[in-house]
Amino acid sequence: MQQLTMGAAREAQTESMPAHTVRQWLREPLLHFALIGSLLFALDHFLVSRTDDPHVIVMDQAVEDEARRVFAAARGREPDADELRALRQVWLDNEILYREGLVLQVDRGDTAIRERVIFKALSLIDAGVKLPAIDDQTLRAWFEKRRDKYDEPARFDFEEAALAGTPTESDIRQFVADLDHGVPGDSRAGLRVFKGRPQSNILQSYGEEFATALAGLPVGQWHSLQSKTSWHAVRLIGYAATQPADYDLVRGPVLQDWKDAVASEQRTAAVRALASKYQIVSASRE
């Protein structure tokens, strides 16, 4: 199995694309998992059920099993149905690009390196990307639809007294009562202190119900809160509400993000259009 090294990827990118395009491709959904070190999209030919017809692509069970294994190793859990579909689509996009690169003979001098062929095929597609003109009113509307990306998020300072083991709701409520009556926070638990934790991080780690309740707590008092997995003894120290972004101050980054997004859409559409040349056969158990 070939292994995609970051050094090889960077070298291939540098040879084929300008620096700004390289940065765009690093954010490209087609290559997301490959560029975080995953081996999935550098699978060698023995993981691809090929036929004598170069226009038939068979996505066999070995590909899906490897996708599940790599995802679980990286994320600590199995992929859900949507994530598995996304993994299959990324693999398929890369397989199409690889075959198109072979047809265009961009593999000359790189016959052993699958990733170089894919990057060279992408560079040819990138040459056809043409961004439309955009006025300030349209750009502002695009910004408003994605405002949460540019706003300064709400941030929390809080403490958590974490009991050992797997405490129940009643354990946490009793512990909070003890804390409120002056029992030192480190007498039965480890004290964890969080500074400037953004709301998105709270949502990811603890869940929406926890984040909403935390924002409504009075400062300086211990409370029992339920997260998506368990109960917690927490004390809010400080809270800073979301600060809306000023469009005039962030217009430059917004314009660049718009260019990247439109270019990404065009590249993805071009790759998906190439799929019409192939017969896609799924040999997975699903």
Side-chain angles (χ1 to χ4, degrees):
M1 182 184 299
Q2 290 181 341
Q3 186 170 358
L4 173 60
T5 65
M6 294 304 294
R10 284 194 296 267
E11 181 183 352
Q13 292 170 324
T14 302
E15 291 177 357
S16 305
M17 302 181 190
H20 178 62
T21 301
V22 170
R23 289 194 295 272
Q24 292 179 13
W25 281 118
L26 289 175
R27 293 191 290 270
E28 192 68 37
L30 297 178
L31 301 176
H32 174 67
F33 292 97
L35 292 178
I36 63 171
S38 166
L39 302 181
L40 175 59
F41 308 115
L43 295 177
D44 207 347
H45 296 296
F46 77 90
L47 276 183
V48 183
S49 295
R50 302 188 185 277
T51 68
D52 292 334
D53 188 344
H55 290 89
V56 175
I57 298 175
V58 179
M59 301 175 65
D60 66 8
Q61 189 59 46
V63 171
E64 181 166 320
D65 290 344
E66 182 68 359
R68 291 178 180 276
R69 185 193 67 77
V70 171
F71 186 95
R75 304 292 181 85
R77 61 175 177 82
E78 288 289 314
D80 61 27
D82 289 338
E83 289 165 335
L84 188 57
R85 279 193 292 271
L87 287 166
R88 291 197 198 101
Q89 185 61 62
V90 174
W91 180 88
L92 178 59
D93 289 337
N94 279 340
E95 179 64 18
I96 290 169
L97 282 167
Y98 177 64
R99 295 191 183 203
E100 287 297 305
L102 294 180
V103 170
L104 295 171
Q105 298 183 335
V106 298
D107 60 319
R108 290 180 175 177
D110 282 324
T111 55
I113 305 180
R114 175 184 173 88
E115 293 75 31
R116 287 182 182 271
V117 175
I118 292 173
F119 277 116
K120 287 181 178 181
L122 283 172
S123 70
L124 294 176
I125 290 176
D126 188 68
V129 170
K130 304 297 181 185
L131 296 178
I134 186 170
D135 57 38
D136 197 68
Q137 182 179 357
T138 304
L139 184 62
R140 184 185 289 270
W142 190 89
F143 158 78
E144 291 294 345
K145 291 181 179 179
R146 297 159 181 81
R147 171 174 283 280
D148 59 342
K149 177 179 178 181
Y150 304 98
D151 291 344
E152 177 63 28
R155 293 185 179 275
F156 298 83
D157 296 337
F158 68 100
E159 298 175 340
E160 178 183 358
L163 286 173
T166 308
T168 64
E169 176 184 356
S170 59
D171 292 334
I172 293 297
R173 290 190 182 280
Q174 181 58 55
F175 183 49
V176 166
D178 291 342
L179 291 171
D180 283 339
H181 284 84
V183 177
D186 59 354
S187 65
R188 295 171 54 197
L191 186 64
R192 304 169 63 191
V193 180
F194 301 93
K195 294 287 188 180
R197 184 67 65 93
Q199 186 172 20
S200 59
N201 185 273
I202 302 294
L203 289 170
Q204 182 179 13
S205 300
Y206 296 93
E208 183 174 358
E209 183 178 348
F210 181 98
T212 301
L214 183 63
L217 291 182
V219 173
Q221 297 180 14
W222 287 100
H223 288 268
S224 56
L225 294 184
Q226 185 178 19
S227 71
K228 56 187 177 182
T229 58
S230 58
W231 284 83
H232 305 264
V234 298
R235 177 167 61 180
L236 183 66
I237 303 302
Y239 171 71
T242 301
Q243 298 297 315
D246 185 332
Y247 170 76
D248 292 329
L249 295 179
V250 299
R251 187 184 183 284
V254 170
L255 178 59
Q256 186 59 58
D257 289 346
W258 174 82
K259 291 179 179 179
D260 292 346
V262 173
S264 175
E265 290 170 1
Q266 291 189 19
R267 295 185 192 103
T268 299
V271 174
R272 303 291 160 79
L274 292 173
S276 63
K277 299 169 58 176
Y278 297 88
Q279 177 185 353
I280 311 301
V281 180
S282 177
S284 64
R285 287 189 291 264
E286 185 175 311

